[in-house]
CSV table of all heavy atoms in Angstrom, one decimal:
chain,number,residue,atom,x,y,z
A,122,LEU,N,-5.3,-2.4,5.2
A,122,LEU,CA,-4.7,-3.5,5.9
A,122,LEU,C,-3.9,-4.5,5.1
A,122,LEU,O,-2.8,-4.9,5.4
A,122,LEU,CB,-5.8,-4.2,6.7
A,122,LEU,CG,-5.4,-5.4,7.6
A,122,LEU,CD1,-4.4,-4.9,8.8
A,122,LEU,CD2,-6.5,-6.2,8.1
A,123,PHE,N,-4.4,-4.9,3.9
A,123,PHE,CA,-3.7,-5.8,3.1
A,123,PHE,C,-2.5,-5.1,2.5
A,123,PHE,O,-1.4,-5.8,2.5
A,123,PHE,CB,-4.6,-6.1,1.8
A,123,PHE,CG,-5.7,-7.1,2.0
A,123,PHE,CD1,-6.8,-7.2,1.2
A,123,PHE,CD2,-5.6,-8.0,3.1
A,123,PHE,CE1,-7.8,-8.0,1.4
A,123,PHE,CE2,-6.7,-8.9,3.3
A,123,PHE,CZ,-7.7,-8.9,2.5
A,124,GLY,N,-2.5,-3.8,2.2
A,124,GLY,CA,-1.3,-3.1,1.8
A,124,GLY,C,-0.2,-3.1,2.9
A,124,GLY,O,1.0,-3.3,2.7
A,125,VAL,N,-0.6,-2.9,4.2
A,125,VAL,CA,0.4,-3.0,5.2
A,125,VAL,C,1.0,-4.4,5.5
A,125,VAL,O,2.1,-4.5,5.6
A,125,VAL,CB,-0.3,-2.4,6.5
A,125,VAL,CG1,0.6,-2.7,7.7
A,125,VAL,CG2,-0.6,-0.9,6.4
A,126,LEU,N,0.2,-5.3,5.3
A,126,LEU,CA,0.6,-6.8,5.4
A,126,LEU,C,1.5,-7.1,4.3
A,126,LEU,O,2.4,-7.9,4.5
A,126,LEU,CB,-0.6,-7.7,5.5
A,126,LEU,CG,-1.5,-7.6,6.7
A,126,LEU,CD1,-2.6,-8.6,6.6
A,126,LEU,CD2,-0.6,-8.0,8.0
A,127,LEU,N,1.3,-6.6,3.1
A,127,LEU,CA,2.2,-6.7,2.0
A,127,LEU,C,3.3,-5.8,1.9
A,127,LEU,O,4.1,-5.9,0.9
A,127,LEU,CB,1.4,-6.7,0.6
A,127,LEU,CG,0.2,-7.7,0.5
A,127,LEU,CD1,-0.5,-7.5,-0.7
A,127,LEU,CD2,0.9,-9.2,0.4
A,128,ASN,N,3.5,-5.0,2.8
A,128,ASN,CA,4.6,-4.1,3.0
A,128,ASN,C,4.7,-3.0,1.9
A,128,ASN,O,5.8,-2.7,1.4
A,128,ASN,CB,5.9,-4.9,3.1
A,128,ASN,CG,7.0,-4.1,3.8
A,128,ASN,OD1,6.8,-3.0,4.5
A,128,ASN,ND2,8.2,-4.5,3.6
A,129,PHE,N,3.6,-2.5,1.5
A,129,PHE,CA,3.6,-1.3,0.7
A,129,PHE,C,2.5,-0.4,1.2
A,129,PHE,O,1.4,-0.8,1.2
A,129,PHE,CB,3.5,-1.6,-0.8
A,129,PHE,CG,2.3,-2.2,-1.3
A,129,PHE,CD1,1.3,-1.4,-1.7
A,129,PHE,CD2,2.1,-3.6,-1.3
A,129,PHE,CE1,0.1,-2.0,-2.2
A,129,PHE,CE2,0.9,-4.1,-1.7
A,129,PHE,CZ,-0.1,-3.3,-2.2
A,130,PHE,N,2.9,0.8,1.6
A,130,PHE,CA,2.0,1.8,2.1
A,130,PHE,C,2.6,3.2,1.9
A,130,PHE,O,3.7,3.4,2.2
A,130,PHE,CB,1.7,1.6,3.6
A,130,PHE,CG,0.7,2.5,4.0
A,130,PHE,CD1,-0.7,2.3,3.8
A,130,PHE,CD2,1.0,3.7,4.8
A,130,PHE,CE1,-1.6,3.3,4.2
A,130,PHE,CE2,0.2,4.5,5.3
A,130,PHE,CZ,-1.2,4.3,5.0
A,131,SER,N,1.9,4.0,1.2
A,131,SER,CA,2.2,5.4,1.0
A,131,SER,C,1.0,6.1,0.6
A,131,SER,O,-0.1,5.6,0.3
A,131,SER,CB,3.3,5.5,-0.1
A,131,SER,OG,2.8,5.3,-1.4
A,132,ALA,N,1.1,7.4,0.6
A,132,ALA,CA,-0.1,8.3,0.3
A,132,ALA,C,-0.5,8.0,-1.1
A,132,ALA,O,-1.8,8.0,-1.4
A,132,ALA,CB,0.2,9.8,0.6
A,133,ARG,N,0.4,7.9,-2.0
A,133,ARG,CA,0.1,7.7,-3.4
A,133,ARG,C,-0.5,6.4,-3.6
A,133,ARG,O,-1.5,6.2,-4.3
A,133,ARG,CB,1.4,7.8,-4.3
A,133,ARG,CG,1.1,7.7,-5.8
A,133,ARG,CD,2.5,7.9,-6.5
A,133,ARG,NE,3.4,6.8,-6.3
A,133,ARG,CZ,3.3,5.6,-7.0
A,133,ARG,NH1,2.4,5.4,-7.9
A,133,ARG,NH2,4.2,4.8,-6.7
A,134,LEU,N,-0.1,5.3,-2.9
A,134,LEU,CA,-0.7,4.1,-3.1
A,134,LEU,C,-2.1,4.0,-2.4
A,134,LEU,O,-3.0,3.2,-2.9
A,134,LEU,CB,0.2,2.9,-2.5
A,134,LEU,CG,1.5,2.7,-3.3
A,134,LEU,CD1,2.3,1.6,-2.6
A,134,LEU,CD2,1.2,2.4,-4.7
A,135,LEU,N,-2.3,4.8,-1.4
A,135,LEU,CA,-3.6,4.9,-0.8
A,135,LEU,C,-4.7,5.4,-1.7
A,135,LEU,O,-5.7,5.0,-1.8
A,135,LEU,CB,-3.5,5.7,0.4
A,135,LEU,CG,-4.8,5.9,1.3
A,135,LEU,CD1,-5.3,4.5,1.9
A,135,LEU,CD2,-4.7,6.9,2.4
A,136,VAL,N,-4.2,6.3,-2.6
A,136,VAL,CA,-5.2,6.8,-3.6
A,136,VAL,C,-5.5,5.7,-4.6
A,136,VAL,O,-6.6,5.7,-5.0
A,136,VAL,CB,-4.5,8.1,-4.3
A,136,VAL,CG1,-5.3,8.6,-5.5
A,136,VAL,CG2,-4.4,9.3,-3.3
A,137,TRP,N,-4.4,5.0,-5.0
A,137,TRP,CA,-4.7,3.9,-6.0
A,137,TRP,C,-5.5,2.8,-5.3
A,137,TRP,O,-6.4,2.3,-6.0
A,137,TRP,CB,-3.4,3.4,-6.5
A,137,TRP,CG,-2.8,4.3,-7.5
A,137,TRP,CD1,-1.8,5.2,-7.4
A,137,TRP,CD2,-3.3,4.5,-8.9
A,137,TRP,NE1,-1.5,5.8,-8.6
A,137,TRP,CE2,-2.5,5.5,-9.5
A,137,TRP,CE3,-4.4,4.0,-9.6
A,137,TRP,CZ2,-2.7,5.9,-10.8
A,137,TRP,CZ3,-4.5,4.4,-10.9
A,137,TRP,CH2,-3.7,5.4,-11.5
A,138,GLN,N,-5.4,2.6,-4.0
A,138,GLN,CA,-6.3,1.6,-3.4
A,138,GLN,C,-7.7,2.1,-3.4
A,138,GLN,O,-8.6,1.4,-3.7
A,138,GLN,CB,-5.8,1.4,-2.0
A,138,GLN,CG,-4.5,0.5,-2.0
A,138,GLN,CD,-4.1,0.4,-0.5
A,138,GLN,OE1,-4.1,1.3,0.3
A,138,GLN,NE2,-3.6,-0.8,-0.2
A,139,ALA,N,-7.8,3.5,-3.2
A,139,ALA,CA,-9.3,4.0,-3.2
A,139,ALA,C,-9.9,3.9,-4.5
A,139,ALA,O,-11.0,3.6,-4.7
A,139,ALA,CB,-9.2,5.5,-2.6
A,140,ILE,N,-9.0,4.2,-5.5
A,140,ILE,CA,-9.5,4.0,-6.9
A,140,ILE,C,-10.0,2.6,-7.2
A,140,ILE,O,-11.0,2.3,-7.8
A,140,ILE,CB,-8.5,4.6,-7.9
A,140,ILE,CG1,-8.4,6.1,-7.8
A,140,ILE,CG2,-8.8,4.2,-9.3
A,140,ILE,CD1,-7.2,6.6,-8.6
A,141,GLY,N,-9.2,1.6,-6.7
A,141,GLY,CA,-9.5,0.2,-6.9
A,141,GLY,C,-10.7,-0.2,-6.1
A,141,GLY,O,-11.6,-0.9,-6.7
A,142,VAL,N,-11.0,0.4,-4.9
A,142,VAL,CA,-12.2,0.2,-4.2
A,142,VAL,C,-13.4,0.7,-4.9
A,142,VAL,O,-14.4,0.0,-5.1
A,142,VAL,CB,-12.1,0.8,-2.8
A,142,VAL,CG1,-13.4,0.8,-2.1
A,142,VAL,CG2,-11.1,0.0,-2.0
A,143,VAL,N,-13.3,1.9,-5.5
A,143,VAL,CA,-14.5,2.5,-6.2
A,143,VAL,C,-14.7,1.7,-7.5
A,143,VAL,O,-15.9,1.4,-7.8
A,143,VAL,CB,-14.2,4.0,-6.6
A,143,VAL,CG1,-15.2,4.5,-7.5
A,143,VAL,CG2,-14.1,4.8,-5.3
A,144,PHE,N,-13.7,1.4,-8.2
A,144,PHE,CA,-13.9,0.6,-9.5
A,144,PHE,C,-14.6,-0.8,-9.0
A,144,PHE,O,-15.5,-1.2,-9.7
A,144,PHE,CB,-12.6,0.3,-10.2
A,144,PHE,CG,-12.8,-0.5,-11.5
A,144,PHE,CD1,-13.3,0.1,-12.6
A,144,PHE,CD2,-12.3,-1.8,-11.5
A,144,PHE,CE1,-13.5,-0.6,-13.7
A,144,PHE,CE2,-12.6,-2.4,-12.6
A,144,PHE,CZ,-13.1,-1.9,-13.7
A,145,ALA,N,-14.1,-1.4,-8.0
A,145,ALA,CA,-14.7,-2.7,-7.6
A,145,ALA,C,-16.1,-2.6,-7.1
A,145,ALA,O,-16.9,-3.4,-7.5
A,145,ALA,CB,-13.8,-3.4,-6.6
A,146,LEU,N,-16.4,-1.5,-6.5
A,146,LEU,CA,-17.8,-1.3,-6.0
A,146,LEU,C,-18.7,-1.1,-7.2
A,146,LEU,O,-19.9,-1.5,-7.2
A,146,LEU,CB,-17.9,-0.1,-5.1
A,146,LEU,CG,-17.4,-0.3,-3.6
A,146,LEU,CD1,-17.4,1.1,-2.9
A,146,LEU,CD2,-18.3,-1.2,-2.9
A,147,ALA,N,-18.2,-0.4,-8.3
A,147,ALA,CA,-18.9,-0.2,-9.4
A,147,ALA,C,-19.1,-1.4,-10.3
A,147,ALA,O,-20.1,-1.4,-11.1
A,147,ALA,CB,-18.4,1.0,-10.2
A,148,SER,N,-18.2,-2.3,-10.3
A,148,SER,CA,-18.3,-3.4,-11.2
A,148,SER,C,-18.4,-4.8,-10.6
A,148,SER,O,-18.5,-5.7,-11.3
A,148,SER,CB,-17.0,-3.4,-12.0
A,148,SER,OG,-15.9,-3.6,-11.2
A,149,LEU,N,-18.6,-5.0,-9.3
A,149,LEU,CA,-18.5,-6.3,-8.7
A,149,LEU,C,-19.9,-7.0,-9.1
A,149,LEU,O,-19.9,-8.3,-9.2
A,149,LEU,CB,-18.6,-6.1,-7.1
A,149,LEU,CG,-18.4,-7.5,-6.4
A,149,LEU,CD1,-17.1,-8.2,-6.7
A,149,LEU,CD2,-18.5,-7.2,-4.8
A,150,HIS,N,-21.0,-6.3,-9.4
A,150,HIS,CA,-22.2,-7.0,-9.7
A,150,HIS,C,-22.1,-7.8,-10.9
A,150,HIS,O,-22.8,-8.7,-11.2
A,150,HIS,CB,-23.4,-6.0,-9.9
A,150,HIS,CG,-23.2,-5.0,-11.0
A,150,HIS,ND1,-22.5,-3.9,-10.8
A,150,HIS,CD2,-23.6,-5.1,-12.3
A,150,HIS,CE1,-22.3,-3.2,-11.9
A,150,HIS,NE2,-23.0,-3.9,-12.8
A,151,ASN,N,-21.0,-7.4,-11.8
A,151,ASN,CA,-20.8,-8.2,-13.0
A,151,ASN,C,-20.4,-9.7,-12.8
A,151,ASN,O,-20.7,-10.5,-13.6
A,151,ASN,CB,-19.8,-7.5,-13.9
A,151,ASN,CG,-20.4,-6.2,-14.5
A,151,ASN,OD1,-21.5,-6.2,-15.1
A,151,ASN,ND2,-19.5,-5.1,-14.4
A,152,ALA,N,-19.9,-9.8,-11.6
A,152,ALA,CA,-19.4,-11.3,-11.3
A,152,ALA,C,-20.6,-12.2,-11.2
A,152,ALA,O,-20.6,-13.4,-11.5
A,152,ALA,CB,-18.7,-11.3,-10.0
A,153,ALA,N,-21.8,-11.6,-10.8
A,153,ALA,CA,-23.0,-12.4,-10.8
A,153,ALA,C,-23.5,-12.9,-12.2
A,153,ALA,O,-24.2,-13.9,-12.2
A,153,ALA,CB,-24.2,-11.6,-10.1
A,154,PHE,N,-23.1,-12.2,-13.2
A,154,PHE,CA,-23.5,-12.6,-14.6
A,154,PHE,C,-22.5,-13.4,-15.3
A,154,PHE,O,-22.7,-14.3,-15.9
A,154,PHE,CB,-23.7,-11.3,-15.4
A,154,PHE,CG,-24.8,-10.5,-15.0
A,154,PHE,CD1,-24.6,-9.3,-14.2
A,154,PHE,CD2,-26.2,-10.8,-15.3
A,154,PHE,CE1,-25.6,-8.5,-13.8
A,154,PHE,CE2,-27.1,-10.0,-14.8
A,154,PHE,CZ,-27.0,-8.8,-14.2
A,155,TRP,N,-21.1,-13.1,-14.9
A,155,TRP,CA,-20.1,-13.8,-15.7
A,155,TRP,C,-19.7,-15.1,-15.0
A,155,TRP,O,-19.3,-16.0,-15.7
A,155,TRP,CB,-18.8,-12.8,-15.8
A,155,TRP,CG,-19.1,-11.7,-16.7
A,155,TRP,CD1,-20.0,-11.5,-17.6
A,155,TRP,CD2,-18.4,-10.4,-16.5
A,155,TRP,NE1,-20.0,-10.2,-18.2
A,155,TRP,CE2,-18.9,-9.5,-17.5
A,155,TRP,CE3,-17.4,-10.0,-15.8
A,155,TRP,CZ2,-18.5,-8.3,-17.7
A,155,TRP,CZ3,-16.9,-8.6,-16.0
A,155,TRP,CH2,-17.4,-7.8,-16.9
A,156,GLN,N,-19.7,-15.1,-13.6
A,156,GLN,CA,-19.3,-16.3,-12.9
A,156,GLN,C,-20.4,-16.5,-11.8
A,156,GLN,O,-20.1,-16.4,-10.6
A,156,GLN,CB,-18.0,-16.1,-12.3
A,156,GLN,CG,-16.8,-16.0,-13.3
A,156,GLN,CD,-16.5,-17.3,-13.9
A,156,GLN,OE1,-16.7,-18.4,-13.3
A,156,GLN,NE2,-16.1,-17.2,-15.2
A,157,PRO,N,-21.6,-17.0,-12.2
A,157,PRO,CA,-22.6,-17.1,-11.1
A,157,PRO,C,-22.3,-18.2,-10.1
A,157,PRO,O,-22.6,-18.2,-8.9
A,157,PRO,CB,-23.8,-17.4,-11.9
A,157,PRO,CG,-23.4,-17.9,-13.3
A,157,PRO,CD,-22.1,-17.2,-13.4
A,158,ALA,N,-21.7,-19.3,-10.5
A,158,ALA,CA,-21.3,-20.5,-9.6
A,158,ALA,C,-20.3,-20.0,-8.6
A,158,ALA,O,-20.4,-20.3,-7.5
A,158,ALA,CB,-20.9,-21.6,-10.4
A,159,LEU,N,-19.3,-19.3,-9.1
A,159,LEU,CA,-18.2,-18.7,-8.2
A,159,LEU,C,-18.8,-17.7,-7.2
A,159,LEU,O,-18.5,-17.6,-6.1
A,159,LEU,CB,-17.0,-18.2,-9.0
A,159,LEU,CG,-15.9,-17.7,-8.2
A,159,LEU,CD1,-15.2,-18.8,-7.4
A,159,LEU,CD2,-14.9,-17.0,-9.2
A,160,SER,N,-19.6,-16.9,-7.7
A,160,SER,CA,-20.3,-15.9,-6.9
A,160,SER,C,-21.1,-16.5,-5.8
A,160,SER,O,-21.3,-15.9,-4.8
A,160,SER,CB,-21.1,-14.9,-7.8
A,160,SER,OG,-20.2,-14.2,-8.7
A,161,ASP,N,-21.8,-17.6,-6.3
A,161,ASP,CA,-22.6,-18.3,-5.1
A,161,ASP,C,-21.8,-18.8,-4.1
A,161,ASP,O,-22.2,-18.8,-2.9
A,161,ASP,CB,-23.3,-19.5,-5.9
A,161,ASP,CG,-24.6,-19.2,-6.6
A,161,ASP,OD1,-25.1,-18.1,-6.4
A,161,ASP,OD2,-25.0,-20.1,-7.3
A,162,ALA,N,-20.5,-19.3,-4.4
A,162,ALA,CA,-19.6,-19.8,-3.4
A,162,ALA,C,-19.0,-18.8,-2.6
A,162,ALA,O,-19.0,-18.9,-1.3
A,162,ALA,CB,-18.6,-20.7,-4.0
A,163,VAL,N,-18.6,-17.6,-3.2
A,163,VAL,CA,-18.0,-16.6,-2.5
A,163,VAL,C,-19.0,-15.7,-1.7
A,163,VAL,O,-18.8,-15.4,-0.5
A,163,VAL,CB,-17.2,-15.7,-3.4
A,163,VAL,CG1,-16.6,-14.5,-2.6
A,163,VAL,CG2,-16.0,-16.4,-4.1
A,164,PHE,N,-20.0,-15.4,-2.3
A,164,PHE,CA,-21.1,-14.5,-1.7
A,164,PHE,C,-22.2,-15.5,-1.2
A,164,PHE,O,-22.0,-16.5,-0.6
A,164,PHE,CB,-21.6,-13.4,-2.6
A,164,PHE,CG,-20.4,-12.6,-3.1
A,164,PHE,CD1,-20.0,-12.6,-4.4
A,164,PHE,CD2,-19.7,-11.7,-2.2
A,164,PHE,CE1,-19.0,-11.9,-4.9
A,164,PHE,CE2,-18.7,-11.0,-2.7
A,164,PHE,CZ,-18.3,-11.1,-4.0
A,165,THR,N,-23.5,-15.2,-1.7
A,165,THR,CA,-24.6,-16.1,-1.5
A,165,THR,C,-25.4,-16.2,-2.6
A,165,THR,O,-25.4,-15.3,-3.5
A,165,THR,CB,-25.5,-15.6,-0.3
A,165,THR,OG1,-26.0,-14.4,-0.6
A,165,THR,CG2,-24.7,-15.6,1.1
A,166,PRO,N,-26.2,-17.2,-2.8
A,166,PRO,CA,-27.1,-17.3,-3.9
A,166,PRO,C,-28.1,-16.1,-3.9
A,166,PRO,O,-28.5,-15.6,-5.1
A,166,PRO,CB,-27.8,-18.6,-3.8
A,166,PRO,CG,-26.9,-19.5,-3.0
A,166,PRO,CD,-26.2,-18.6,-2.1
A,167,GLY,N,-28.5,-15.8,-2.7
A,167,GLY,CA,-29.5,-14.5,-2.6
A,167,GLY,C,-28.8,-13.4,-3.3
A,167,GLY,O,-29.4,-12.5,-3.8
A,168,TRP,N,-27.5,-13.0,-2.9
A,168,TRP,CA,-26.8,-11.9,-3.4
A,168,TRP,C,-26.7,-12.0,-5.0
A,168,TRP,O,-26.9,-11.0,-5.6
A,168,TRP,CB,-25.4,-11.9,-2.8
A,168,TRP,CG,-24.6,-10.7,-3.3
A,168,TRP,CD1,-24.6,-9.4,-2.8
A,168,TRP,CD2,-23.7,-10.6,-4.4
A,168,TRP,NE1,-23.8,-8.6,-3.4
A,168,TRP,CE2,-23.2,-9.3,-4.4
A,168,TRP,CE3,-23.3,-11.5,-5.3
A,168,TRP,CZ2,-22.2,-8.9,-5.4
A,168,TRP,CZ3,-22.3,-11.1,-6.2
A,168,TRP,CH2,-21.9,-9.8,-6.3
A,169,VAL,N,-26.4,-13.2,-5.5
A,169,VAL,CA,-26.4,-13.3,-6.9
A,169,VAL,C,-27.6,-13.0,-7.5
A,169,VAL,O,-27.7,-12.2,-8.6
A,169,VAL,CB,-25.8,-14.7,-7.3
A,169,VAL,CG1,-25.9,-14.9,-8.8
A,169,VAL,CG2,-24.4,-14.9,-6.8
A,170,GLN,N,-28.7,-13.4,-7.0
A,170,GLN,CA,-30.1,-13.2,-7.6
A,170,GLN,C,-30.4,-11.7,-7.5
A,170,GLN,O,-31.0,-11.1,-8.4
A,170,GLN,CB,-31.2,-14.0,-6.9
A,170,GLN,CG,-32.5,-14.0,-7.5
A,170,GLN,CD,-32.5,-14.5,-9.0
A,170,GLN,OE1,-31.9,-15.5,-9.2
A,170,GLN,NE2,-33.1,-13.8,-9.8
A,171,THR,N,-30.1,-11.1,-6.4
A,171,THR,CA,-30.4,-9.7,-6.2
A,171,THR,C,-29.6,-8.9,-7.2
A,171,THR,O,-30.2,-7.9,-7.8
A,171,THR,CB,-30.0,-9.2,-4.8
A,171,THR,OG1,-30.7,-9.9,-3.9
A,171,THR,CG2,-30.3,-7.7,-4.6
A,172,GLN,N,-28.3,-9.2,-7.5
A,172,GLN,CA,-27.5,-8.3,-8.4
A,172,GLN,C,-28.0,-8.6,-9.9
A,172,GLN,O,-28.1,-7.7,-10.6
A,172,GLN,CB,-26.1,-8.9,-8.4
A,172,GLN,CG,-25.4,-8.6,-7.0
A,172,GLN,CD,-25.5,-7.2,-6.6
A,172,GLN,OE1,-25.3,-6.3,-7.4
A,172,GLN,NE2,-25.9,-6.9,-5.3
A,173,GLN,N,-28.5,-9.8,-10.2
A,173,GLN,CA,-29.0,-10.0,-11.5
A,173,GLN,C,-30.4,-9.3,-11.7
A,173,GLN,O,-30.7,-9.0,-12.8
A,173,GLN,CB,-29.2,-11.6,-11.7
A,173,GLN,CG,-27.9,-12.3,-12.0
A,173,GLN,CD,-28.0,-13.7,-12.0
A,173,GLN,OE1,-29.0,-14.4,-11.8
A,173,GLN,NE2,-26.9,-14.4,-12.5
Side-chain angles (χ1 to χ4, degrees):
L122 180 66
F123 285 156
V125 169
L126 292 176
L127 294 174
N128 200 19
F129 65 94
F130 182 76
S131 69
R133 185 176 66 85
L134 292 179
L135 181 64
V136 170
W137 283 105
Q138 285 176 322
I140 290 170
V142 167
V143 169
F144 181 74
L146 283 174
S148 62
L149 188 62
H150 65 274
N151 289 313
F154 295 102
W155 297 337
Q156 294 290 327
L159 181 63
S160 296
D161 280 345
V163 173
F164 305 112
T165 61
W168 181 86
V169 172
Q170 188 60 44
T171 302
Q172 298 305 314
Q173 288 177 346

